[in-house]
Amino acid sequence: MTHEEHHAAKTLGVGKAIAVLTSGGDAQGMNAAVRAVVRVGIFTGARVFFVHEGYQGLVDGGEHIREATWESVSMMLQLGGTVIGSARCKDFREREGRLRAAHNLVKRGITNLCVIGGDGSLTGADTFRSEWSDLLNDLQKDGKITAEEAKKSSYLNIVGLVGSIDNDFCGTDMTIGTDSALHRIVEIVDAITTTAQSHQRTFVLEVMGRHCGYLALVTSLSCGADWVFIPECPPDDDWEEHLCRRLSETRTRGSRLNIIIVAEGAIDKNGKPITSEDIKNLVVKRLGYDTRVTVLGHVQRGGTPSAFDRILGSRMGVEAVMALLEGTPDTPACVVSLSGNQAVRLPLMECVQVTKDVTKAMDEKRFDEAIKLRGRSFMNNWEVYKLLAHVRPPVSKGGLHTVAVMNVGAPAAGMNAAVRSTVRIGLIQGNRVLVVHDGFEGLAKGQIEEAGWSYVGGWTGQGGSKLGTKRTLPKKNLEQISANITKFNIQGLVIIGGFEAYTGGLELMEGRKQFDELCIPFVVIPATVSNNVPGSDFSIGADTALNTICTTCDRIKQSAAGTKRRVFIIETMGGYCGYLATMAGLAAGADAAYIFEEPFTIRDLQVNVEHLVQKMKTTVKRGLVLRNEKCNENYTTDFIFNLYSEEGKGIFDSRKNVLGHMQQGGSPTPFDRNFATKMGAKAMNWMSGKIKESYRNGRIFANTPDSGCVLGMRKRALVFQPVTELKDQTDFEHRIPKEQWWLKLRPILKILAKYEIDLDTSDHAHLEHISRKRSGEAAV
């Protein structure tokens, strides 16, 4: 990339105007996207306009289309819904309405439109674009615009961002609002679980999703529901029998409650609706259980956006501005979306088409195809759900093989969900599953017991580590560990934990030279709030910690906004890894985030202070600065606090806050529950294969590098990587991977905080095609 191109981002928008609107049903995180579009637009030199009340505002014009400023999007990040309003609009469906809309845009010289909404809103935008030149001709004929104006606005660029809590748009892994809706649902399921247990009740919960069962499906994985009804996959004809048998089996295994999740669009094989009332009546009539129905309704759309949705909205907003300003008359209208953790651009109409194909497949009762069209992520969720909820666990004692599960390192929310799915998938495969208490120390001391199906009942939603976890490494105790592996006949080991789990894996590999007993397959599942395990872009527990930090920052910002002229310095965890500080900075709208990976000097600190001094002259009189706990041994949180206090005298006062261990606690977020459940299932499937491969002369002997792996999420897929291969990618002194994907998001953080920096556009998404992407889509 040439030097000239590098500076192009700052002047990319000069002389251009962008309008941003939100349309259709609201979704949490829309505001984050609007804020990013406005700020990045202004950063590139473009003028940016709000269109209030969706397409209706575009048609009505006047006061509905207002120019946005930097400050006008302040404090928007943590608000749910859409601040600029959204409305269903009949007028825009008529050509007459679109003619008025075109007139309003041309008069203001706006030729770039960013639409945030569902598939209906995006289809409308595409129609508008395809008619654009005809509309201009008509306006010119009627003398409403001059030839000069028509020439200036000769083509219209359109970029869509999908904001929909249903996650029903094909081509995107996650739509803005989906994660927040799951947060609302899971909070409620957790609350209902406690009362259901008191009274031994059955609860039928109805969640949103008329044509898409994503929310229902992920909820049922996240709370270990007994059954889920979704439109894409109607139950078999004898489902009533099957459901009742399933519910009574759960009760006989000692559970005091049943949870059934229903998507509002659930149907049977003949396309007849299955309602929550139908299910309740069935359960009461056949089983006589005390059954209650709860319809969640609009609660799911409400509340503050989750950290994930804020970051998603912000990243998509940045990408949308780039796509608009790089657009030409020949580029098709595109949708900016996320695949794995990469931003991609997809042709809008291709996505709309596939989304329509799903509905059509469902109408024509081609249900297998409907699930395939939803993409691999949806299919994976469905497969894991079916295994965990519909397969009868074997009754026989003394399984095929013996696999042990353990936690290592510091506690992280979601560890228990991973243990639960590992244990249960192991049992379903017919294995004997052991659990080890207190990490490698427990393995050496023999704190090991057999786990049955109900041992891990209700673990998905519980934070911390129920098995107990320690940071002790195995090296000192390899002899006792080997003895216990023989004593308990352990043939495979699943290690769920942080950086110690990974280094422990390396030590076990090393120990194989000395002890034959260590020649058994093992797999490390990354679980740590720091997200610093090599071989994975995400680790279990980081999302929960991020949301905890975010909630705290929101409260602190509120306090600062009340007192005015106040700057807060907040210290986050993470060891040397700056993931939490950076991502929380993006999600909470911080002015700066100090991290170890991006060295900073006293000059940088001066620049930051000066920046805050300038900020206090605007209407936004507060600052938020995050500091990773080990970003610099001399520039401590106290040092930075003292520096800011001295330099800000008379202009702003400073406060500091060390968040500490609250970041390791709390109930796991839906993302962590779901991620952990799928990682556990995937690890156990791999383990069975590896044990079979290593079976020789009646015993297990695994001595190849690929028999000791880290299971990680890389870009768009879950992959197993030998621990020995990851050695070169690790900075052992600082316990972090040498290359980290999220560092590419740092410039966004700075631009959104109004720093004049170069936005490196080399990592931008190029237009892809949806059909090709389907096969390689993220398997998360």
Side-chain angles (χ1 to χ4, degrees), residues 2 42 156 167 267 285 321 404 412 466 494 513 563 636 675 684 723 742 751:
T2 63
I42 292 172
L156 178 70
N167 203 17
I267 46 175
K285 199 170 102 197
V321 173
K466 305 265 285 183
V494 178
K513 296 180 191 133
T563 36
T636 59
F675 187 42
M684 208 51 170
V723 284
W742 50 266
I751 288 170

Side-chain angles (χ1 to χ4, degrees), residues 315-341:
R315 287 180 68 185
M316 299 300 93
V318 175
E319 195 56 57
V321 173
M322 291 305 151
L324 281 172
L325 299 179
E326 290 165 12
T328 66
D330 309 322
T331 44
C334 76
V335 171
V336 175
S337 123
L338 204 62
S339 177
N341 61 17

